[in-house]
Amino acid sequence: MKKIHPLETALLPPPRFTYPFCYEPHPLCEAAVAEVCRYIESHPGIKRDADRGKMFGVLVVETGRKDKRGMPEIGFLATFSGLLKGGNNRGWFVPPVYDAQQADGVFKTREKEISAVNRLIDSIEHNTETLRLRREFAERREEERRAVERHKAVMERSKRLRDMIRMQHNIEPEVRSQLIRESQFQKAELKRIQKAHAAIVARAEDALRGIEERLAALRRQRREMSDSLQRWLFSQYEMLNARGEVKNIVDIFSDFRGALPPAAAGDCCAPKLLQYAYGNGLHPLCMAEFWWGESPQSEIRHHLAYYPSCRSRCLPILSWMMQGLEVDPNPQENDVSRELPIVYEDNNMWVVDKPSGMLSVPGKIRRESVFDILKAKCSDDTEPLVVHRLDMETSGLLIFAKNAETQKCLQRQFEQRLVEKRYVALVSPVPKEHTGTVSLPMRPNPLDRPRQIIDRKNGREAVTHYNIIGIDGDKARIALYPVTGRTHQLRVHCAHRDGLAAPIVGDALYGLPGSRLMLHCERITINSTDGKRLKLVSRVPF
């Protein structure tokens, strides 16, 4: 089936290729996405699977031919991340870089071997004899614990009685000696109890040892087989770049990070699209990725919203594959100096009014930070010390210390939740409840930093109080009072379907992009180092 789809349009292509980690989709990509949506809607089987939630991507290309007007012919490629309808090769879409799903292929054959080891481990784990021996071992340990606890309770009662007798005046030497012998006997008896039960526990442990050693050996074998298969699989992903050079994913990650690739590296949309284009003599013009269907339970995705490529899997790969292309600069990197109003300053601290778009501290991107500006105010041997942070896109009050003692004092107040903070945000749609509390535990998504996800099992506690302070059509102005201080806490709690289900306006990570993120730290109340209660306020700029 044809993979290059025509794109009849008078739109001019962009002068440079898309920077895939921060972009506004080009109109050519939007036209291509509209075609993909029509295709999904017209194929019920694909739509049913996609409706559960799937990332799709488009790549607009020059085919190398001329159109009817004598202009370079433009078409587009489309694909999806991972699997669709249980497979990774779905006709209309470009194929995977390497098809690991072939039933009789090396990957599936070795995967079956690993599955056989899994089944063997499972059969031993749930074998009647294994369960009996583990139960017996646990029972002997519990009997030992109870016997020791009972005897220690007897010893404690006897000791209290002996102490009461010793408090009496003029007790007979014989009685004193008897008390000592009783104490010595009970201590010796404790050792005898411990020794007797230790022998019983050891026999139960010996009976179980052979099984546990076999299970440990099988788990090592499974891990070694899995690691070997994963390394072999990634070595099959021979990634092209625009210069026609080839490098496999293992070498790409080794050169970029000195580490092995994460699972599913190479199966995201962008690498699949570029690989097909290079391999078929097509010139990439622009690219976009969008979400279709329901949001995952833990993440926040919106139907038909555009998303950047993930950094964990795709940054090393795309950094290699885009070599030889003229690519847009990272729009987040600039050296534009901005005004940084100082709201409060004394001998120990600064409180500044950070504008949206400025980093709190230097990061991976080249962009001026609050730290850089305050550092210029310090003497050569000192520097500002961070107390807390605001996201680059968030504006408002931010505190830096001038010395380590003040930093510790102020950070301790944050840790002990003695700092009162009020943020103001513009959200859409209007939340159903006008006041309340969101409590959703969070953790970073290691495969898509800096995004955070909800994890009710392993996430850290995150609590936010809120109340609506104004409504204008489908938007609400809302006051947010974070009890905890997790990364992106307010943004996730507003956007997640189990939170307010109302993303902050302009939130490109968890909602839809806009002129800016409409989130501002309006008020902070904190104690200064000399004990004054400081109430600091910044006007909301939106």
Side-chain angles (χ1 to χ4, degrees), residues 218-251:
L218 286 170
R219 292 189 189 104
R220 284 195 300 272
Q221 179 186 354
R222 179 180 61 185
R223 185 174 61 252
E224 290 165 2
M225 291 172 70
S226 180
D227 290 347
S228 174
L229 179 57
Q230 194 81 321
R231 181 178 283 275
W232 175 87
L233 175 63
F234 286 134
S235 72
Q236 307 308 301
Y237 283 71
E238 298 279 348
M239 311 306 292
L240 293 161
N241 66 17
R243 300 191 188 110
E245 301 165 334
V246 179
K247 185 184 286 190
N248 70 50
I249 286 183
V250 174
D251 292 337

Side-chain angles (χ1 to χ4, degrees), residues 19-23 55 289 301 306-311 448 451 508-509:
Y19 179 74
F21 304 102
C22 184
Y23 65 90
M55 191 73 77
E289 296 179 61
R301 302 287 190 190
Y306 290 94
Y307 289 93
S309 298
C310 64
R311 288 181 169 270
D448 196 8
R451 294 177 66 88
L509 271 184

